[in-house]
Amino acid sequence: MSSRRRSTKSENLEDHGGASKIKKRRVSSKKEKPQDLAPGSDDSLFVQLLKSSGLTLKSGEQQNELAVDQRVFHKALRQSLRKHIRYPDVLQEFMAGLGSHIEDHGHFRNCLLPCGRCGDDEEGSNLLMNSFQDSVIKILLSIDILQELLINLLFEKLPEFLYDSFGSDGISIPRLIINQLKWLDLVLNGKELTSKMMQLVAVAPADIQQHVISSLPEILEDAEHNDVAKELSSLLKQNTKLMVPILDAFSSLNLSAELLTEVRQWVMSTLCAVDLEVVPVIVKFVLHTVTPSDALEVISELRKNLDVQSCVSLSQVQVATSKTGITGTQDKSSQDYVTLLMEVIKSAVWFQKHTCEAWIKAIESVETFEEHKVTDFLVLLILYATNSNCKKQVERVLKNKVRSGCITNQLLQNIFRSHTQVLMFYFTSILSLAQTLLRSVEPVVFLFGSHLFKHAFRVFDRYCQQEVIAALVTHVCSGYADEVDTALDVIGDLVSSHTAAVALHVVFIKGILDHLDNLNCQQIRKLFQILCALGVSPEGAHIQDELHIVIRKQLSSTALKYKRIGLIGAVSMVDSMAARGRRKLATANLEYPALSPNLFRQVTSLLELARTCCEHSPVATAFYFDELADLVQMKSLDTKVMEHMRKTVLEDFQEDYVVDLDQKADGTHLFPVKAMYNLEDDESQSVVAINLLPLLADKGSASTTHEGRPVSSLCLCPFFRLLRLCIEDEFDGNLDEIDALLGCPLYLTDLEVVDKVESLSRQEQEFLCSLLFLAINWFIEVVNAFCKQPNADLKGKVLRRLQNITWLQSVLEKCLPACPGYIPQCASFDGQQMRKSPSVVPAVAAPKKAKKGKKRPLGDGKNSSSEASQIEEQLDSVPQETQKSLAEKEKDENSRPTINLSSFRPFFRELDIDVFTVLQSGLVKCSLLDSDMCTKATEVVQLGPAELVFLLDDLYRKTVHILTATKRMLLPKVKDTKSTEFSHLHQRTPQEVAQVLVGLLSPLCAHVENMHNYFQTLLTENHGVVDAPGLDVKEHQYMASCYHLLLQIFHTLLAWNGFLQSENRNLLKSALAVFADKIKESDASLEMEEQVSHSFSYFQNLCSSVPTFSAALSLTQLLITLIEKTEAAQYRSKIASIVKGFLCRSWIQPSGEREKGMKFNETLQSMLCIYLEYAGVLEAIEEICGTGVTELMNAAKDGNSSTYPTLTRQTFVVFFRILMDKLEKYVRSLPAGTKDVSHQVQTEQLLGWSLAVRNFHILVNLIKVFDSRPMLITCLKYGRQFLETFLRVGMPLLDSCFKKHREDVQSLLKILQLCTRQLHHMCGHSKIHQDTGLTTHVPQLKKTLEMFVYRVKAMLVLNNCQEAFWLGNLKNRDLQGEEILSQKSQESETEEDQESQLPPEEPEEEEDGGGSDPETGDEDNESD
């Protein structure tokens, strides 16, 4: 509460209406001649005394005049009264004269108004006189001997004016009377005055009540504050209309803590029921009365009761029921009150740091979406705008709320729709916050930032819209790929929804054209789509000519980079100009008019120009075809344009790439031409073939058609993609018009040449590799085209083409090692062309598609599957010797080096996401597939293991790329090579990809169940032996790869942070429902917790069959991702049990060898971290060290722990490093010990430290057995960190509990002393071997050891036990504790070993003597 303030000059001027104007006129009327004295007898004692003291009473509208300063008048009048002969009876006579004088209302009013200066003084004769004088009543009240009598007189006079408070001149007499009582220098009888004031409050009308209550703090003495506050509190509960003046009065009264808490709680409980105009007053009172101790509790309660949205909604309801003429005024009034409320909160957080922190903690403690209110975001915005120190905290809280789905776009819409006027004051902060969120790497966070931009643009004025566009353009030009993409997406959304408004600021967007060098093709595509959409709109038509100039300039460039930009611009312009009639104009919600002949001519001319400008560049032509194909796939072009394009594409493709099968290839080529991979059953039906090899052979020469148009094999796949999309658009997805291209053969060469690839020339090797790449890419595009066809025959051919792809890839893996430095033709044209050969990665045990271990023949048959069965039939009929020779040849082939094609992925065409619908085909093992396909009558083509691995690997890479948040690149100009591999995927949003994956979950679950059954059957048939004789190793590798990929796909999908968004929650429930239905049939109304429980059980059943350790890790991560969807704690023990089971399993490969290597160690490291997290660090360390390490020490050199087979001498360093790291992090997380905590808490903390130190001692002592260099480095590093944490966190605890737990503290320090002694020995070992990798850790460790010694001494001194501390020098010893000889020879024989001792009552502890290192002279202190 504030103390009583002194009077100001303007207090007595406080009035209502025009009082101030009247008084100013009186004071300023200097030229008016003063009238005579006020009527009354001149010999009246009252008049005589006033006149003799220097005051002249006036009548009418003239002010009473003081000839002297009021202080002089006050002193003179008091002395006259005190020295009067009839004192004290003269006081009654004086008051009677005053009473008679003020019977006239005009005289009374003059006595209540300020006095003026007499005419002579106004001319400046008395320069020392104050320019402002109090009223007569005010001056008389300051005279102690008159005060009580005058107060009684005023209160007797007051009732005459209560109900007629304003006179004809607009002056309120009751208010003037109350004002006389303010700021009195002395109140003689405060209790009586208080009683009179409260009585007046009880009987006065509402306006006088409010004025009296507001004036109480300025009238009452401090001693009366508490009593008055109690009465006001009771009055407040009886009459809530007086809440505003009462709370204002409370803010200036000294209240007791109990009363203040009671009032505060009561007014906060009324927040939901009071009028909106009262809310700011209540909030101001609450915030100004909080203290640091109760700030969090009070503000949490205030936040709970304060709901701005409900108040505004109630106001809007009142507005809706009111007359139309005053609706806008009332709505504006409600916004004004909300603005005032925000200003109140802003003022509180500006000046009170504890209020700011309490608001942040109160908002942070809210955990559910339903509990969050509009107020939360507004307060966070105020904190962000007001307090610069809180910006990081506000950003952190807001990001956490957005991640958890508590603050959503729906809440944001409500805020911007209802509180635009309030948000306008914080536009700069909104823009800054949106920019910060837009830079986040998390999709859910930068998506929220984009929503901020969109809403700000939608509701604010044109100036703010310009700032929004300018900020987005700045992000586009930043050079960071994710930031650029998001900003362009926001601008694109704004263009689609507010075209006219964005067109006004198109000059800013157009400036991005100067930064095209820093944008990739996808970003340039978005930019031109924006500009072209604005260019065809009426408001932005002025930039259309400029866009055409830019496009033509880029198309005419000879540089491929700029020609590509021109092609993107041309296609985007075609898209905007030739939009179909069914696509609606967003701004006016009207359909586009039919395409006029003039516009059609412009569109076709632009298409011809683009085709002509790139026809001499195969890469540019292929890129142009891909761009057109993407445009056609959007189905946004006008029908006339589509008909023109379809006719041209179909004719050109047939002429350029398709030949008759019986037509012989012209010319001489490096290899003989042969038609291969024909899928037609009747040879007579295959009348066409793809002219692959001749086109590839002619790429050096200018291969042209009869029209003179260049034809390149590079354009085959993009051109076919454009063709099939045009046919799909015409026939609604039906491709019967071109189905012959699915089964037609290719003009290749006999692939037996691969067997002698090393003997070929360099030119022939590169040609053969290019031919294989081209064939694979053709098959990929064919699969993309026909994967969705419902015809069973076409589905079978698609599966056969998949088999062709995997087979040709295995052939290519054999050819590439013989051709080092080879750079294939580009297949994806969005990015920069690769100028050097990809890094070749050897294929380690790379699975090759084969049947029963037999080599697949290289022939020209229709399909490898049917050929394989025919060859096997022939093998059964050949003599045994021939089979042996074939087996030896196969062994030689398998020994041939191969490479992994992962580094060559940019040179393969991209699989469309629709291809994965073929995963619904069942999986049949190779042996069954061969037996089923012995005759054509019973031939069944189904998805094989090799094809399944191919599809799942591609699906997994797509899932990771689109659903996993990646870190922003710090170097803006680094090109993302992966983005070119998924250029078609980028046309879909992550939400669309997630929907596709959820739709594929059922067939994926069927495949993972097949894998589970396969490995379970193997274990059962082989009695648990993994490497049983007769096992098909290649088939096992395929199935294991499929199993691992499936688990990774499930994990990546469920870990997608887009599920945190409220709009994707139903999609998550749909995904979980698929898994839950495998355990128990459920309905859509099943709760999320139950779905997670059933899904957890489903995947838990797979634990027994996972074939590899890496697959086990993926399954564990999948289970952890599942339990993160719910808050149930019972899953932690299940996760710990599952991970322990994986650690306790022997992971044997089909070859009979144990899994090992760097990848295995990385997987083991991750698995150990999970186990320690979920099982408990201390318990897990004791169990592993007590059981596993002991068994390992007793095992053979190449043996392992029987309990933990993953614990071997090779993996022990991984175990040791993780155990030390997690132990150090565990003690770092312990709270620092203080004296304020209870005895029970201290005991628990001491017990935790005792267990941690015991585990530390166990780990450090293992160095005596396992003393390899990595072990020593790990122990030196984490040993120092452990000691530093103990000094910082543990020692304050020992300081506070040493007296109560002396024995426990001594035991802890004794164990820790043994650890420090062993660390000291490691330092000596490092010096002996002079290993720089070890000695770099020694200085810091020795410093920490010395700090430990003196810190223990400080603790003993603090607890008055300094006599228990002795200090000595330790000898340098090796790891086994043996004394270093170089030091021993320099010591005298008579010197006795000394060492410090902590508990003197335990002399049985072995003592070590002191000494120093003779080489370095260091002395290493140790205490006991």
Side-chain angles (χ1 to χ4, degrees):
M1 296 297 100
S2 62
S3 61
R4 296 185 61 204
R5 296 176 286 118
R6 295 296 91 195
S7 176
T8 63
K9 298 178 181 180
S10 61
E11 285 296 336
N12 289 331
L13 292 175
E14 182 182 347
D15 208 310
H16 196 280
S20 60
K21 296 181 180 179
I22 295 172
K23 288 179 282 185
K24 289 180 181 179
R25 185 170 67 249
R26 289 180 178 178
V27 174
S28 61
S29 57
K30 299 179 180 180
K31 297 183 179 180
E32 292 185 9
K33 184 178 179 179
Q35 297 182 7
D36 296 335
L37 295 176
S41 57
D42 293 344
D43 56 352
S44 168
L45 179 66
F46 169 69
V47 175
Q48 291 178 358
L49 290 178
L50 291 181
K51 188 173 183 180
S52 61
S53 300
L55 174 65
T56 304
L57 298 175
K58 296 291 183 178
S59 62
E61 295 184 357
Q62 293 298 313
Q63 291 176 292
N64 298 324
E65 294 181 352
L66 273 172
V68 295
D69 189 78
Q70 68 179 32
R71 290 170 294 180
V72 177
F73 168 76
H74 173 277
K75 183 177 180 180
L77 181 59
R78 188 177 184 279
Q79 288 180 351
S80 300
L81 291 173
R82 290 295 300 267
K83 295 180 179 180
H84 199 278
I85 190 172
R86 295 197 302 274
Y87 180 82
D89 297 334
V90 71
L91 299 179
Q92 294 292 341
E93 186 178 351
F94 182 84
M95 293 306 301
L98 175 59
S100 301
H101 178 74
I102 63 176
E103 285 294 333
D104 183 272
H105 288 185
H107 295 169
F108 189 28
R109 182 196 59 191
N110 285 347
C111 290
L112 293 173
L113 295 174
C115 296
R117 298 167 63 181
C118 66
D120 296 338
D121 292 331
E122 288 181 1
E123 298 298 330
S125 60
N126 191 354
L127 297 178
L128 298 178
M129 186 173 176
N130 199 332
S131 60
F132 179 85
Q133 308 294 335
D134 288 329
S135 66
V136 175
I137 300 296
K138 182 82 171 182
I139 298 173
L140 296 180
L141 283 172
S142 64
I143 301 175
D144 53 351
I145 55 178
L146 295 176
Q147 186 182 93
E148 188 173 354
L149 297 174
L150 183 53
I151 289 176
N152 292 334
L153 178 61
L154 291 175
F155 275 95
E156 291 174 0
K157 195 73 175 176
L158 188 58
E160 300 179 14
F161 304 94
L162 280 182
Y163 296 97
D164 188 18
S165 56
F166 290 98
S168 58
D169 52 3
I171 296 177
S172 174
I173 299 299
R175 291 173 181 264
L176 288 178
I177 294 174
I178 299 301
N179 290 344
Q180 309 307 308
L181 301 174
K182 293 182 181 180
W183 309 118
L184 295 178
D185 293 334
L186 177 64
V187 179
L188 297 178
N189 195 342
K191 289 187 177 181
E192 183 179 353
L193 178 59
T194 301
S195 175
K196 292 180 181 295
M197 295 294 294
M198 298 311 298
Q199 292 174 11
L200 177 61
V201 169
V203 299
D207 58 333
I208 303 301
Q209 278 183 323
Q210 294 178 3
H211 184 73
V212 172
I213 294 172
S214 301
S215 303
L216 285 175
E218 301 156 356
I219 296 175
L220 304 179
E221 292 288 334
D222 292 349
E224 309 299 328
H225 282 190
N226 203 50
D227 294 337
V228 171
K230 291 180 180 179
E231 294 188 36
L232 290 178
S233 176
S234 302
L235 182 62
L236 175 63
K237 298 175 182 178
Q238 297 171 7
N239 188 358
T240 56
K241 293 181 179 180
L242 297 176
M243 183 176 291
V244 174
I246 290 177
L247 292 182
D248 282 340
F250 279 158
S251 299
S252 302
L253 295 177
N254 292 321
L255 306 183
S256 62
E258 296 79 8
L259 180 60
L260 181 61
T261 303
E262 178 185 350
V263 173
R264 196 163 52 202
Q265 290 177 348
W266 187 86
V267 296
M268 283 194 295
S269 66
T270 64
L271 272 173
C272 299
V274 298
D275 295 334
L276 183 59
E277 60 266 20
V278 182
V279 173
V281 180
I282 297 177
V283 174
K284 180 180 179 181
F285 169 74
V286 172
L287 294 181
H288 285 195
T289 57
V290 296
T291 59
S293 59
D294 61 0
L296 178 58
E297 179 183 357
V298 172
I299 290 180
S300 298
E301 184 69 19
L302 174 63
R303 186 211 147 273
K304 181 179 179 181
N305 293 296
L306 181 61
D307 191 354
V308 176
Q309 186 64 28
S310 64
C311 296
V312 174
S313 300
L314 180 61
S315 175
Q316 290 175 347
V317 170
Q318 296 173 353
V319 168
T321 58
S322 63
K323 295 181 180 180
T324 308
I326 59 174
T327 299
T329 304
Q330 291 185 354
D331 184 59
K332 185 177 184 300
S333 176
S334 64
Q335 291 292 326
D336 291 340
Y337 285 122
V338 175
T339 304
L340 182 59
L341 172 62
M342 295 300 107
E343 287 298 318
V344 168
I345 298 176
K346 179 180 179 180
S347 175
V349 300
W350 191 305
F351 297 105
Q352 299 175 359
K353 181 181 179 181
H354 59 271
T355 304
C356 181
E357 295 173 351
W359 269 114
I360 293 178
K361 292 179 180 179
I363 296 174
E364 197 171 10
S365 63
V366 182
E367 298 179 352
T368 62
F369 163 74
E370 293 79 9
E371 295 181 38
H372 273 287
K373 305 175 181 179
V374 171
T375 314
D376 295 334
F377 182 79
L378 293 177
V379 170
L380 287 176
L381 194 58
I382 291 172
L383 295 175
Y384 189 84
T386 305
N387 196 332
S388 58
N389 297 327
C390 292
K391 282 192 174 184
K392 293 296 182 183
Q393 288 179 283
V394 172
E395 291 172 5
R396 175 182 55 81
V397 172
L398 188 58
K399 288 179 181 178
N400 291 336
K401 294 299 179 183
V402 172
R403 289 189 198 103
S404 60
C406 293
I407 296 182
T408 62
N409 183 36
Q410 183 61 42
L411 181 65
L412 213 57
Q413 287 180 351
N414 296 336
I415 295 170
F416 277 88
R417 182 176 60 249
S418 304
H419 306 288
T420 306
Q421 180 179 336
V422 179
L423 295 174
M424 189 66 185
F425 292 99
Y426 303 98
F427 169 73
T428 304
S429 299
I430 293 174
L431 201 60
S432 174
L433 189 59
Q435 289 179 291
T436 301
L437 296 178
L438 199 68
R439 296 188 184 101
S440 174
V441 300
E442 302 173 75
V444 66
V445 177
F446 66 65
L447 185 61
F448 187 83
S450 68
H451 289 320
L452 272 178
F453 275 116
K454 295 175 190 176
H455 293 309
F457 187 89
R458 177 175 57 86
V459 303
F460 292 146
D461 57 21
R462 182 173 174 180
Y463 167 76
C464 296
Q465 291 176 345
Q466 175 180 311
E467 293 298 315
V468 169
I469 295 297
L472 289 171
V473 170
T474 302
H475 284 288
V476 173
C477 300
S478 66
Y480 294 93
D482 295 337
E483 195 174 331
V484 173
D485 288 332
T486 308
L488 286 172
D489 290 338
V490 175
I491 298 176
D493 292 341
L494 291 177
V495 169
S496 62
S497 58
H498 304 87
T499 309
V502 179
L504 299 175
H505 313 288
V506 69
V507 64
F508 293 97
I509 305 174
K510 192 176 61 176
I512 305 176
L513 293 173
D514 298 332
H515 301 269
L516 291 179
D517 289 342
N518 295 329
L519 303 182
N520 58 37
C521 286
Q522 184 68 17
Q523 294 162 353
I524 295 172
R525 192 174 294 117
K526 292 178 182 179
L527 175 61
F528 272 106
Q529 288 172 355
I530 292 169
L531 290 174
C532 293
L534 294 174
V536 299
S537 66
E539 295 81 3
H542 60 280
I543 69 165
Q544 195 173 45
D545 292 339
E546 189 172 350
L547 284 176
H548 279 286
I549 293 173
V550 171
I551 292 171
R552 290 175 181 271
K553 177 182 177 181
Q554 302 288 1
L555 285 174
S556 61
S557 174
T558 56
L560 178 61
K561 175 181 179 181
Y562 299 108
K563 191 180 292 291
R564 187 187 288 119
I565 294 174
L567 291 171
I568 293 174
V571 173
S572 300
M573 183 60 72
V574 169
D575 180 28
S576 299
M577 295 170 62
R580 268 187 183 165
R582 65 170 177 262
R583 196 172 74 176
K584 301 208 173 167
L585 186 62
T587 54
N589 203 25
L590 298 173
E591 292 187 354
Y592 280 105
L595 203 64
S596 63
N598 182 35
L599 195 57
F600 175 75
R601 185 172 59 255
Q602 293 181 28
V603 170
T604 54
S605 300
L606 190 56
L607 289 173
E608 290 298 328
L609 174 65
R611 178 69 184 271
T612 305
C613 289
C614 64
E615 62 182 5
H616 295 289
S617 172
V619 175
T621 305
F623 179 79
Y624 172 64
F625 289 152
D626 270 340
E627 284 295 302
L628 272 184
D630 293 339
L631 180 59
V632 172
Q633 192 174 24
M634 294 169 58
K635 298 182 178 181
S636 61
L637 290 180
D638 186 83
T639 307
K640 291 175 61 178
V641 178
M642 282 302 305
E643 290 176 357
H644 171 79
M645 188 185 303
R646 188 183 307 116
K647 180 180 178 181
T648 305
V649 169
L650 185 58
E651 293 176 355
D652 291 349
F653 186 83
Q654 290 178 342
E655 183 179 346
D656 295 347
Y657 299 104
V658 180
V659 295
D660 293 335
L661 186 60
D662 54 357
Q663 177 182 346
K664 293 184 179 180
D666 299 331
T668 304
H669 309 293
L670 293 176
F671 297 102
V673 178
K674 190 173 185 180
M676 299 181 63
Y677 298 105
N678 184 13
L679 299 184
E680 299 296 342
D681 295 333
D682 189 357
E683 295 294 336
S684 62
Q685 295 180 3
S686 295
V687 295
V688 296
I690 302 301
N691 195 25
L692 211 60
L693 189 147
L695 279 177
L696 184 63
D698 293 339
K699 73 174 184 178
S701 60
S703 176
T704 59
T705 64
H706 69 280
E707 297 177 354
R709 185 179 62 256
V711 179
S712 171
S713 60
L714 192 66
C715 303
L716 170 64
C717 296
F719 205 0
F720 172 72
R721 180 167 179 263
L722 175 60
L723 170 64
R724 65 99 171 176
L725 288 172
C726 289
I727 300 300
E728 279 185 358
D729 183 81
E730 181 180 8
F731 298 102
D732 295 329
N734 193 322
L735 295 180
D736 291 344
E737 187 79 9
I738 58 171
D739 60 350
L741 296 177
L742 174 60
C744 72
L746 309 180
Y747 273 160
L748 299 175
T749 190
D750 195 338
L751 293 183
E752 288 184 356
V753 71
V754 175
D755 296 335
K756 52 181 181 179
V757 64
E758 291 86 356
S759 62
L760 300 177
S761 66
R762 175 71 179 186
Q763 182 183 5
E764 292 172 335
Q765 290 173 343
E766 291 187 355
F767 184 85
L768 181 60
C769 291
S770 297
L771 189 64
L772 291 173
F773 270 106
L774 194 56
I776 292 172
N777 286 330
W778 167 255
F779 287 145
I780 288 176
E781 276 303 329
V782 167
V783 170
N784 286 339
F786 294 93
C787 62
K788 295 187 294 182
Q789 297 302 303
N791 185 280
D793 183 49
L794 295 181
K795 284 185 177 180
K797 291 181 180 180
V798 167
L799 293 177
R800 298 283 290 273
R801 287 310 187 201
L802 281 173
Q803 293 172 352
N804 297 151
I805 292 171
T806 56
W807 169 239
L808 288 175
Q809 283 185 339
S810 66
V811 175
L812 187 60
E813 288 177 347
K814 299 176 184 178
C815 294
L816 287 174
C819 191
Y822 165 68
I823 303 177
Q825 287 184 338
C826 184
S828 180
F829 308 98
D830 266 5
Q832 297 290 338
Q833 304 302 310
M834 190 171 291
R835 299 182 181 275
K836 63 179 181 179
S837 176
S839 57
V840 176
V841 181
V844 180
K848 305 177 186 61
K849 191 169 191 237
K851 302 291 186 282
K852 291 186 178 179
K854 303 293 189 298
K855 176 190 172 186
R856 177 175 290 180
L858 301 174
D860 59 347
K862 298 179 231 177
N863 191 30
S864 54
S865 300
S866 59
E867 291 170 1
S869 61
Q870 296 172 6
I871 294 297
E872 287 175 1
E873 290 176 2
Q874 297 173 8
L875 286 175
D876 293 336
S877 61
V878 298
Q880 186 70 20
E881 292 79 6
T882 307
Q883 292 190 27
K884 288 183 180 179
S885 63
L886 288 174
E888 292 176 357
K889 184 177 180 181
E890 178 188 357
K891 184 176 180 181
D892 294 338
E893 291 294 332
N894 290 336
S895 63
R896 176 180 294 174
T898 61
I899 65 170
N900 194 334
L901 291 179
S902 59
S903 57
F904 288 87
R905 282 173 184 152
F907 302 102
F908 292 111
R909 293 289 289 179
E910 180 183 356
L911 277 177
D912 289 344
I913 200 168
D914 296 326
V915 171
F916 301 107
T917 56
V918 302
L919 289 171
Q920 298 174 0
S921 304
L923 171 68
V924 180
K925 293 190 298 184
C926 300
S927 57
L928 296 178
L929 186 62
D930 293 340
S931 61
D932 289 343
M933 291 168 47
C934 291
T935 61
K936 289 186 178 182
T938 60
E939 182 179 8
V940 177
V941 181
Q942 290 185 318
L943 204 59
E947 293 75 48
L948 187 58
V949 170
F950 170 72
L951 290 175
L952 292 178
D953 178 67
D954 192 82
L955 178 59
Y956 171 63
R957 291 189 301 110
K958 281 182 167 62
T959 306
V960 170
H961 179 77
I962 201 72
L963 297 184
T964 303
T966 57
K967 293 184 177 180
R968 294 194 187 278
M969 295 181 296
L970 296 180
L971 298 177
K973 294 189 178 181
V974 174
K975 299 296 181 183
D976 186 7
T977 56
K978 287 188 177 181
S979 62
T980 60
E981 298 180 34
F982 305 104
S983 57
H984 299 161
L985 184 68
H986 288 160
Q987 297 175 10
R988 295 176 179 260
T989 63
Q991 287 79 5
E992 294 173 345
V993 175
Q995 288 175 353
V996 173
L997 288 173
V998 171
L1000 292 173
L1001 285 181
S1002 293
L1004 292 177
C1005 287
H1007 286 298
V1008 82
E1009 289 164 10
N1010 288 335
M1011 306 300 157
H1012 172 74
N1013 295 333
Y1014 171 81
F1015 288 107
Q1016 286 284 69
T1017 303
L1018 277 183
L1019 293 175
T1020 303
E1021 291 177 352
N1022 300 326
H1023 306 288
V1025 179
V1026 177
D1027 56 335
L1031 178 68
D1032 192 335
V1033 176
K1034 294 181 180 179
E1035 183 181 65
H1036 187 281
Q1037 291 175 345
Y1038 275 130
M1039 304 296 268
S1041 298
C1042 291
Y1043 207 157
H1044 189 195
L1045 287 169
L1046 285 165
L1047 294 175
Q1048 288 178 311
I1049 291 170
F1050 290 145
H1051 170 241
T1052 307
L1053 173 61
L1054 293 178
W1056 179 46
N1057 54 16
F1059 284 133
L1060 298 175
Q1061 303 173 24
S1062 57
E1063 55 267 25
N1064 295 326
R1065 298 294 288 178
N1066 290 334
L1067 186 61
L1068 174 61
K1069 294 192 69 174
S1070 300
L1072 295 177
V1074 176
F1075 305 132
D1077 288 342
K1078 302 292 182 179
I1079 297 296
K1080 179 181 178 181
E1081 291 188 5
S1082 58
D1083 53 6
S1085 61
L1086 200 65
E1087 294 294 333
M1088 178 79 74
E1089 289 74 11
E1090 297 181 26
Q1091 287 184 329
V1092 170
S1093 177
H1094 294 329
S1095 302
F1096 188 90
S1097 301
Y1098 174 72
F1099 287 110
Q1100 189 178 7
N1101 294 335
L1102 305 178
C1103 293
S1104 60
S1105 64
V1106 284
T1108 62
F1109 199 34
S1110 56
L1113 176 61
S1114 296
L1115 179 57
T1116 304
Q1117 293 170 337
L1118 171 59
L1119 293 172
I1120 293 174
T1121 303
L1122 270 176
I1123 67 175
E1124 289 174 351
K1125 308 299 180 185
T1126 180
E1127 298 180 357
Q1130 70 268 18
Y1131 295 106
R1132 295 187 64 86
S1133 59
K1134 293 182 180 180
I1135 293 292
S1137 175
I1138 291 171
V1139 177
K1140 183 178 179 181
F1142 291 147
L1143 292 173
C1144 295
R1145 185 190 299 185
S1146 295
W1147 298 98
I1148 306 298
Q1149 296 177 346
S1151 60
E1153 298 181 356
R1154 186 185 300 273
E1155 283 193 41
K1156 57 185 178 180
M1158 183 180 299
K1159 185 177 180 180
F1160 177 80
N1161 289 344
E1162 292 175 355
T1163 305
L1164 178 61
Q1165 176 175 323
S1166 301
M1167 198 72 81
L1168 275 173
C1169 292
I1170 296 173
Y1171 179 60
L1172 292 174
E1173 179 182 355
Y1174 285 87
V1177 175
L1178 301 181
E1179 296 81 358
I1181 292 177
E1182 288 193 6
E1183 183 180 3
I1184 293 174
C1185 294
T1187 304
V1189 177
T1190 303
E1191 294 172 350
L1192 180 63
M1193 289 189 293
N1194 298 328
K1197 185 176 181 180
D1198 57 347
N1200 56 270
S1201 167
S1202 57
T1203 305
Y1204 294 90
T1206 52
L1207 178 58
T1208 65
R1209 294 187 181 272
Q1210 289 75 29
T1211 62
F1212 179 77
V1213 64
V1214 178
F1215 273 82
F1216 185 76
R1217 184 175 67 252
I1218 297 302
L1219 296 182
M1220 288 289 284
D1221 177 59
K1222 292 299 179 180
L1223 179 61
E1224 191 275 330
K1225 290 181 178 177
Y1226 168 78
V1227 297
R1228 194 192 307 171
S1229 66
L1230 295 176
T1234 58
K1235 297 181 180 180
D1236 301 333
V1237 298
S1238 62
H1239 176 71
Q1240 180 181 359
V1241 174
Q1242 280 189 348
T1243 305
E1244 293 175 355
Q1245 292 177 350
L1246 184 60
L1247 177 61
W1249 268 107
S1250 299
L1251 295 175
V1253 169
R1254 186 174 68 183
N1255 288 338
F1256 182 63
H1257 179 235
I1258 294 172
L1259 293 174
V1260 169
N1261 276 347
L1262 292 177
I1263 295 297
K1264 295 180 179 179
V1265 181
F1266 305 94
D1267 56 355
S1268 63
R1269 184 174 181 272
M1271 291 284 294
L1272 290 172
I1273 293 177
T1274 301
C1275 196
L1276 290 173
K1277 174 184 176 182
Y1278 290 105
R1280 174 183 59 81
Q1281 294 179 1
F1282 184 93
L1283 287 177
E1284 289 176 349
T1285 304
F1286 179 78
L1287 292 175
R1288 185 177 64 256
V1289 180
M1291 285 306 299
L1293 175 65
L1294 301 189
D1295 291 341
S1296 59
C1297 64
F1298 179 79
K1299 293 182 180 179
K1300 298 178 181 178
H1301 305 277
R1302 180 173 180 178
E1303 295 181 358
D1304 295 334
V1305 173
Q1306 288 179 352
S1307 175
L1308 185 151
L1309 289 176
K1310 188 171 182 177
I1311 296 175
L1312 191 57
Q1313 183 190 21
L1314 298 177
C1315 301
T1316 58
R1317 188 174 302 167
Q1318 184 64 29
L1319 291 173
H1320 175 75
H1321 296 165
M1322 294 181 203
C1323 295
H1325 173 84
S1326 303
K1327 293 178 181 179
I1328 294 174
H1329 291 78
Q1330 297 182 352
D1331 188 335
T1332 56
L1334 297 176
T1335 54
T1336 53
H1337 298 277
V1338 171
Q1340 290 182 332
L1341 178 58
K1342 283 198 170 186
K1343 179 181 179 182
T1344 306
L1345 291 173
E1346 185 176 356
M1347 290 174 60
F1348 170 71
V1349 171
Y1350 289 108
R1351 184 63 180 83
V1352 172
K1353 180 178 180 181
M1355 181 203 68
L1356 295 175
V1357 172
L1358 180 65
N1359 291 277
N1360 299 321
C1361 296
Q1362 56 268 29
E1363 66 278 357
F1365 183 87
W1366 290 307
L1367 187 65
N1369 292 327
L1370 277 179
K1371 294 179 180 179
N1372 286 326
R1373 300 175 183 270
D1374 57 16
L1375 295 179
Q1376 310 303 326
E1378 298 295 332
E1379 205 173 313
I1380 297 176
L1381 295 179
S1382 61
Q1383 177 180 351
K1384 185 176 181 180
S1385 61
Q1386 295 182 10
E1387 293 181 348
S1388 62
E1389 298 179 355
T1390 61
E1391 182 179 1
E1392 296 181 357
D1393 295 342
Q1394 296 181 358
E1395 189 183 19
S1396 58
Q1397 222 175 31
L1398 182 65
E1401 60 272 338
E1402 296 182 3
E1404 66 272 10
E1405 181 185 356
E1406 182 179 353
E1407 305 286 330
D1408 285 340
S1412 63
D1413 189 343
E1415 298 178 1
T1416 62
D1418 292 340
E1419 293 187 355
D1420 302 292
N1421 298 321
E1422 184 69 39
S1423 64
D1424 216 0

